[in-house]
Amino acid sequence: MRARVGVVLSAPPSRSPVREYAFELALCVHLEETTDWVVARQLGGSVASPGGRIVDVVGLVPGPGFDRRAAVTAATIPPLALESDVGVGTSVRPERAFSCSSSVARRVADRAVEVGFFEADHRGGHRVVRRAVRYPEDWFAELVAIENKPDLGSPGDLEAQLRTDVSLALFDRVVLATESYVTRAHLNRIPEGVGVWRFDPEDGVKEVVREPDSLSTAATGVEPVDAQPLRTDVEFVAPDEKARVRRRVAERAYGKGWRPEPPGCTHATVTADGRPYCARFDRVVDPGTDCGEGCSAFEAADPPAADRAAHRADRTPWVRDPDGVARRQTGLDHFS
């Protein structure tokens, strides 16, 4: 809604989630500047209870097969395609190669062809697919989970979240990032194995207070699934199931990244590193919560031009426009 003449505009009230959002984006910028990681935000970090744990920031450390994976597609390869019985040598009908309904199998196969992981053909009146390349399982060396808590004075469920991360060991390393001064009392409440960074989002300086331990990702994990006052129910997660979810997290991180779409407002702009910024209130904003009709200064407009892919390609090993590996990119709709 447009502001009326004579009304003094003020920024939306400072809320902890808004502060954490700006902190999180600043940390993503810092990680891109100081590591060779592929960085992503807000990814699932649980196995037995999907959606039960969302990790603030994930750092994907490239492995020996990274270039081979990057050559396939800039997008996420559909997890069900990776987990299907579709191989490289023999073409098969999607309905017979997926452990799901025929409609889902066809839809996933369509997407796998679209991103260049499958090749499609038409044989005997049926649509068939095969992998265009062998998937390099060694394309990421590590997954690093980072939990952001700028203010340790308001920890919320931080300790329980970090204990889950350590006992499940879905990620190779787990780090807590904060802006607060870290005392010995704080460290005593942070589970062993969790690293601690003190990060200043204004000047981009990071101090390593405690290095993270390497977790046993290849061992059985323990995931709390229900907490009651006098008991906690857990599930044991087998190594092969953890490996499956780790691959899903890695693929999602590679395809998603962390930069949000800037808001459609006349005051919206984008920083040089790709963060959404409000010129009226002179700060990084969360388009999902700060902007829109709830903001007193909102004026609808086209979003500012922002080439998020260019920012990402310039700052990380992610490849924006790979040549691809599929020899035939046959459209599956031709055979529908």
Side-chain angles (χ1 to χ4, degrees), residues 15 22 30 46 159 255 308 311:
R15 303 184 300 275
H30 173 79
S46 55
E159 185 174 355
R308 295 182 297 157
H311 280 111

Side-chain angles (χ1 to χ4, degrees), residues 48 80 95 102 111 120 141 151 187 192 199 204 224-225 272 302 304 311 333:
L80 290 179
E95 299 88 344
S102 295
R111 179 57 181 166
D151 182 8
L187 289 176
E192 283 189 42
F199 177 68
V225 293
D302 291 335
H311 280 111
D333 56 351

